Amino acid sequence: MEKARKGKKTAASGELGKMDAYWRAANYLSVGQIYLHDNPLLREPLRMEHVKPVLLGHWGTTPGQNFIYVHLNRVIKKFDLDMIYICGPGHGGPAMVGNTYLEGTYSEVYPKISQDEEGLKRLFRQFSFPGGIPSHVSPECPGSIHEGGELGYSLSHAFGAAFDNPGLIVACVIGDGEAETGPLATSWHSNKFLNPATDGAVLPILHLNGYKIANPTIFARISRRELDQFFKGCGWKPYYVSGRNPEKMHRLMAAATEKAIRRIKSIQAKARAEKNVERPRWPMIVLKSPKGWTGPKIVDGFEIEGSFRAHQVPLQIDAQHPGHLRMLEDWLRSYRPEELFDERGTLVSDLAELAPKGNRRMGANPHANGGLLLHDLSLPDFRNYAISIPAPGAIEAADTHELGKFLRDVIMKNRERRNFRIFGPDETLSNRLNAVFEASDRQWMGSTRKNDEFLATDGRIMEMLSEHQCEGWLEGYLLTGRHGMFTSYEAFIHIVDSMFNQHAKWLKVTADIPWRKPISSLNYLLSSHVWQQAHNGFTHQDPGFLDLVANKKASIVRVYLPPDANCLLSVWDHCLRSKDYVNVVVAGKYLAPQWLSMDEAVDHCAKGIGIWRWASNDGGEEPDVVLACCGDVPTKEALAAVTIIREHLPEIKIRFVNVVDLMKLQPESEHPHGLNDAEFDATFHGYPSLIHRLTYRRTNHKNMHVRGYKEEGTITTTFDMVVRNDLDRFNLVRDIVKRLPPTKKGANLDGILRDKLVQHKCYIEEFGKDMPEILEWKWS
Ligand SMILES: Cc1ncc(C[n+]2csc(CCOP(=O)(O)OP(=O)(O)O)c2C)c(N)n1
Ligand SMILES: [Mg+2]
């Protein structure tokens, strides 16, 4: 166990004295933000009306984070570091807001929050106040790429930021409570994927303040030995800083941060000098300090500092607690603001000079405003990957397999710039993107064996069997101005539902912050989808991620269900060029009929929804039925239904509509052709309720009948999956016949189709595969 005891030698006590004063200033600003509405410098005795009427915020984590920030500033200056700060316990917003204010960046982006008394007052007032800023490290906070509202993703984000940024060090504060979450627990393994020569470094700082909201933390209640074994077992080299006496703690922290930085530098220097890159043991810091450090010790008989009771607002200020106002004033004055801020209310110059300068300030570092560094991808012309289509349905291809060739060349073309990676949990091959391995291996710093495939210490493809980790890495990569995509089985993308939510919220907020520059979109490729999991069964059949995505603002999310490979290529080209969206693309991976030429595909995808004339027989006039479909498998079934109707009921006029861009169904967009007063049968990839939700305000909604996945699944044949969910060709035709005026021919056809369904069941039970007429069906 390494203890940072040689502090005295590494940092002059004069400097540490000043740093203590700087820390006091940051703590003062934090308490001020939580409590003060007026009288920001306590120029007069504190009165009730100087205190905010509603007190919101989290004190407990804040002084520790202020302490860390001051010490990071020191090493940034000492070693001229390019460093950003990720705040895992993002509820400690006052720390990062206060520190970016002290270093000057806050006032640069928000000139009204000036570095004087008036600015201080505004800084305090706006915090957790209507019309002001959130209490977390939200997008409004310069230097933040991680709101930390939902705990667990800090370390994955940090690694995402460090990949392909060899000059960057990402300091990542992790709450000891946060460390109990699944995503955080798995993210310690990120060190097995970081290349010391070509990537930057991450410096995790475990903020071991002992408590969460109401409980002790696990890491605080195991022995130091067990803790040490845990981190060493995860491949880290921990440095410990432990105590509560500020003077001693400054010495220890200065020594620990310096050791950690020196170790990072020496690892990198070695890796960059030698060709043979081995996985190093990266440093981390464990900071054990009291929760609510320097705050009120005892309130109303309860211990506050060093306990869970320090988590939020330690002192209520109201008529029921008459003594608390004085305690708050004493607490604020304990930081000696008169020594820290001058007459004007500006941080005294002696202290101001402790902050790094210009873009070295963590609040001003461009990596934390990734759009500033974003270079568009160099993209090959997707048309060059087109499948040539002699006639609709004449040939078959596996859509994702075709996309893989395009992605392979995206990797190749951006190899020099190193700004594109593919993330996913072990499924790049399973999702049939095989071609990408012609351009790159998987990134892997573990040991390798002869029989391994596609592993290298410098790969563009990131695979770890944790959807959380992959999502977090990708988000960190995008937020720092690069490009990427996530490939997943459709059912298991649900694992990151909540992370998607948080990223979409981030994008929504940043859209209204002028100084935040657009970043590359978060692109999901969902394959091995609900209709292609017949062999894996019910657990693997779930299209519900689309329902979640559709909850978000249409200005942020896009959902694409390309019906064939040319459409998939066109959609994907668009996704890789787009900014500030979340694009969700669902695509098949098995051989399937191809419908549109590349020109038709481009046109169709640009419109998002369109009539397929070659499949319609309404001659542009009022049809009897509109048959709409969305998704590759529903499209095939809908077309098969058309062939049955053509054969048996040729007088029925059908208009065939295909939807690529799901959000086009929403009423904000132009009323698409096809949604008129005719009977409207729709077959949909996902749950039918989603289509009803998106279209409920349309005039023809009452005539609309949607077939989709209705939670019927098991291990069965591919065709039986659609039969079980009533969106097969036979049931579709029966549906249509039922809704049209009754005829004898129609009744006969219904009987034939009922028999077909019985035959189907008998056939698959006997032969274990679909009937030849299903397997061999072709559009004609
Ligand atoms: C995923 C998630 N679950 C629950 C919460 C509610 N919550 C907010 S703060 C907190 C305790 C955090 O403790 P810790 O990470 O130790 O932070 P600190 O002690 O530094 O405040 C909890 C449970 C949350 N924000 N995110
Ligand atoms: Mg804690």
Side-chain angles (χ1 to χ4, degrees):
M1 242 179 281
E2 178 106 17
K3 274 208 176 176
R5 288 210 183 285
K6 294 175 196 150
K8 271 189 180 144
K9 284 187 191 153
T10 50
S13 36
E15 184 193 24
L16 293 186
K18 276 197 205 171
M19 285 172 63
D20 187 64
Y22 197 101
W23 181 44
R24 282 191 276 122
N27 285 339
Y28 182 82
L29 293 191
S30 302
V31 186
Q33 287 177 77
I34 295 172
Y35 283 97
L36 294 185
H37 194 248
D38 208 342
N39 191 13
L41 285 163
L42 298 182
R43 303 261 201 226
E44 50 181 315
L46 192 64
R47 293 196 306 275
M48 211 61 170
E49 62 267 29
H50 296 149
V51 179
K52 292 182 186 179
V54 180
L55 299 174
L56 299 165
H58 298 83
W59 163 247
T61 188
T62 303
Q65 292 203 45
N66 285 334
F67 182 81
I68 292 167
Y69 205 99
V70 174
H71 279 269
L72 294 176
N73 277 348
R74 174 176 169 272
V75 284
I76 289 172
K77 285 189 74 169
K78 176 155 186 161
F79 297 94
D80 188 27
L81 302 178
D82 190 8
M83 180 180 271
I84 60 171
Y85 180 89
I86 290 192
C87 174
H91 45 278
M96 202 158 171
V97 170
N99 272 291
T100 51
Y101 176 80
L102 288 176
E103 72 191 19
T105 34
Y106 207 88
S107 307
E108 284 165 24
V109 288
Y110 304 112
K112 279 198 152 171
I113 312 286
S114 46
Q115 291 188 298
D116 54 22
E117 185 164 359
E118 188 54 30
L120 264 184
K121 191 160 111 183
R122 291 203 174 116
L123 178 80
F124 290 176
R125 271 197 187 176
Q126 65 162 7
F127 178 80
S128 248
F129 204 75
I133 59 163
S135 65
H136 287 64
V137 191
S138 62
E140 287 89 345
C141 181
S144 174
I145 59 163
H146 173 93
E147 169 139 359
E150 186 168 285
L151 300 166
Y153 317 131
S154 57
L155 195 54
S156 299
H157 281 169
F159 273 89
F163 292 138
D164 294 320
N165 265 329
L168 184 68
I169 300 181
V170 186
C172 178
V173 181
I174 298 155
D176 49 355
E178 181 190 15
E180 294 173 13
T181 64
L184 199 292
T186 205
S187 61
W188 296 112
H189 284 310
S190 297
N191 56 10
K192 283 90 188 175
F193 297 84
L194 192 81
N195 181 318
T198 52
D199 295 325
V202 173
L203 177 61
I205 303 170
L206 179 71
H207 192 196
L208 191 61
N209 61 13
Y211 294 93
K212 299 170 283 202
I213 298 177
N215 274 288
T217 61
I218 292 169
F219 278 152
R221 300 296 174 93
I222 59 177
S223 68
R224 169 71 74 85
R225 191 176 138 78
E226 217 176 332
L227 190 69
D228 197 58
Q229 284 171 338
F230 177 87
F231 289 117
K232 286 185 176 152
C234 290
W236 295 91
K237 160 108 182 121
Y239 294 102
Y240 294 86
V241 175
S242 167
R244 59 169 59 222
N245 173 293
E247 202 191 319
K248 178 182 151 211
M249 288 293 277
H250 282 302
R251 280 203 314 274
L252 293 177
M253 188 67 173
T257 44
E258 225 173 292
K259 279 190 179 160
I261 297 300
R262 288 190 196 285
R263 188 174 178 94
I264 288 171
K265 290 203 164 280
S266 106
I267 288 170
Q268 291 178 335
K270 183 166 178 284
R272 290 166 197 190
E274 296 167 10
K275 283 267 169 328
N276 186 12
V277 180
E278 280 184 4
R279 179 164 70 90
R281 199 170 268 279
W282 294 97
M284 65 173 286
I285 292 174
V286 178
L287 172 64
K288 186 174 180 203
S289 60
K291 188 151 182 165
W293 198 10
T294 73
K297 308 276 177 283
I298 309 265
V299 177
D300 301 335
F302 290 106
E303 198 179 306
I304 304 296
E305 188 195 41
S307 93
F308 64 90
R309 291 195 173 83
H311 183 70
Q312 285 191 4
V313 179
L315 282 171
Q316 284 309 319
I317 310 292
D318 51 31
Q320 286 76 52
H321 302 91
H324 287 191
L325 186 67
R326 185 65 37 235
M327 290 171 79
L328 172 61
E329 182 165 0
D330 290 347
W331 176 15
L332 280 160
R333 289 198 191 280
S334 74
Y335 300 119
R336 309 200 291 280
E338 65 286 356
E339 294 174 11
L340 310 172
F341 300 94
D342 65 16
E343 258 317 290
R344 290 177 55 233
T346 308
L347 183 69
V348 296
S349 55
D350 229 22
L351 300 184
E353 73 183 21
L354 292 185
K357 300 279 170 285
N359 284 356
R360 290 303 198 216
R361 294 170 300 174
M362 290 191 282
N365 192 308
H367 292 287
N369 185 4
L372 287 172
L373 304 175
L374 186 67
H375 287 277
D376 288 345
L377 281 174
S378 164
L379 292 177
D381 185 349
F382 66 96
R383 290 176 183 80
N384 295 342
Y385 305 81
I387 295 188
S388 86
I389 310 281
I395 56 156
E396 294 201 322
D399 298 352
T400 54
H401 182 81
E402 300 307 312
L403 179 68
K405 299 174 197 168
F406 173 68
L407 295 173
R408 170 197 64 205
D409 295 346
V410 174
I411 294 177
M412 300 248 204
K413 281 186 84 101
N414 297 279
R415 172 164 283 158
E416 290 297 303
R417 214 186 266 287
R418 303 182 67 87
N419 62 348
F420 177 70
R421 293 200 189 208
I422 297 177
F423 299 80
D426 187 31
E427 289 155 9
T428 311
L429 277 178
S430 174
N431 286 326
R432 301 284 199 272
L433 298 174
N434 309 36
V436 298
F437 292 108
E438 294 165 27
S440 170
D441 290 314
R442 304 183 185 98
Q443 171 70 15
W444 182 257
M445 298 296 296
S447 62
T448 50
R449 297 192 178 161
K450 209 168 70 230
N451 202 30
D452 290 336
E453 240 184 6
F454 309 135
L455 299 181
T457 55
D458 187 13
R460 300 280 94 198
I461 295 147
M462 309 295 295
E463 293 197 336
M464 173 170 158
L465 212 175
S466 162
E467 282 77 3
H468 288 120
Q469 176 85 301
C470 295
E471 169 85 16
W473 282 345
L474 172 56
E475 288 176 2
Y477 201 63
L478 299 175
L479 287 161
T480 46
R482 283 78 63 73
H483 307 261
M485 58 181 282
F486 190 134
T487 68
S488 171
Y489 284 3
E490 185 183 35
F492 302 140
I493 196 65
H494 266 309
I495 291 168
V496 297
D497 276 4
S498 212
M499 296 182 78
F500 150 79
N501 273 339
Q502 299 302 327
H503 190 78
K505 285 175 193 291
W506 180 276
L507 292 178
K508 176 180 181 290
V509 176
T510 53
D512 293 328
I513 302 177
W515 58 267
R516 287 249 177 221
K517 298 299 166 212
I519 58 167
S520 185
S521 300
L522 170 55
N523 299 311
Y524 293 99
L525 175 67
L526 307 186
S527 193
S528 307
H529 60 54
V530 55
W531 308 114
Q532 300 188 323
Q533 286 289 357
H535 62 300
N536 272 320
F538 200 34
T539 54
H540 287 53
Q541 295 156 354
D542 197 301
F545 187 65
L546 301 187
D547 296 59
L548 176 86
V549 171
N551 287 338
K552 291 283 169 282
K553 291 267 171 201
S555 57
I556 300 293
V557 297
R558 292 284 181 276
V559 179
Y560 298 102
L561 293 113
D564 67 7
N566 286 341
C567 289
L568 178 61
L569 285 161
S570 168
V571 161
W572 208 257
D573 174 75
H574 173 74
C575 292
L576 290 180
R577 292 174 194 280
S578 73
K579 301 204 169 80
D580 279 351
Y581 283 132
V582 180
N583 296 307
V584 182
V585 183
V586 184
K589 66 175 183 179
Y590 292 133
L591 283 179
Q594 301 296 312
W595 310 113
L596 303 187
S597 71
M598 187 48 98
D599 285 345
E600 289 165 338
V602 170
D603 184 54
H604 185 46
C605 295
K607 290 184 181 131
I609 179 169
I611 299 170
W612 284 4
R613 297 261 172 236
W614 51 267
S616 308
N617 66 344
D618 60 340
E621 290 168 14
E622 190 65 3
D624 300 310
V625 177
V626 177
L627 191 51
C629 51
C630 183
D632 57 345
V633 170
T635 299
K636 180 178 167 188
E637 286 310 305
L639 285 166
V642 170
T643 54
I644 295 171
I645 293 180
R646 289 271 177 85
E647 185 186 340
H648 294 271
L649 305 169
E651 63 282 5
I652 292 181
K653 299 219 174 324
I654 300 174
R655 176 174 299 168
F656 192 92
V657 173
N658 185 266
V659 179
V660 185
D661 175 352
L662 199 59
M663 302 316 254
K664 285 274 163 165
L665 293 176
Q666 283 193 323
E668 290 96 297
S669 63
E670 226 178 70
H671 202 295
H673 333 123
L675 293 186
N676 55 15
D677 281 339
E679 281 296 329
F680 195 104
D681 267 49
T683 66
F684 175 48
H685 172 93
Y687 291 102
S689 55
L690 176 55
I691 297 296
H692 285 301
R693 239 168 76 198
L694 294 173
T695 55
Y696 82 103
R697 275 159 64 189
R698 293 202 175 269
T699 39
N700 196 29
H701 185 238
K702 63 178 189 328
N703 291 357
M704 188 154 178
H705 316 283
V706 186
R707 295 287 168 207
Y709 183 66
K710 51 180 198 181
E711 203 65 12
E712 288 296 337
T714 181
I715 294 207
T716 184
T717 67
T718 311
F719 183 66
D720 193 50
M721 272 301 294
V722 285
V723 172
R724 281 168 180 268
N725 290 281
D726 292 340
L727 60 71
D728 61 283
R729 57 199 72 179
F730 303 137
N731 274 306
L732 279 179
V733 173
R734 292 183 68 205
D735 247 11
I736 289 168
V737 168
K738 195 165 79 190
R739 297 185 206 291
L740 291 173
T743 61
K744 192 146 177 254
K745 263 165 86 184
N748 278 345
L749 179 56
D750 188 64
I752 295 171
L753 298 176
R754 253 192 331 224
D755 291 348
K756 285 272 182 215
L757 286 163
V758 174
Q759 270 172 30
H760 154 74
K761 286 283 176 203
C762 296
Y763 190 92
I764 63 168
E765 274 169 28
E766 185 168 353
F767 299 103
K769 60 177 187 175
D770 286 319
M771 299 188 292
E773 72 174 273
I774 300 295
L775 294 176
E776 288 155 21
W777 175 84
K778 269 193 184 301
W779 168 259
S780 57

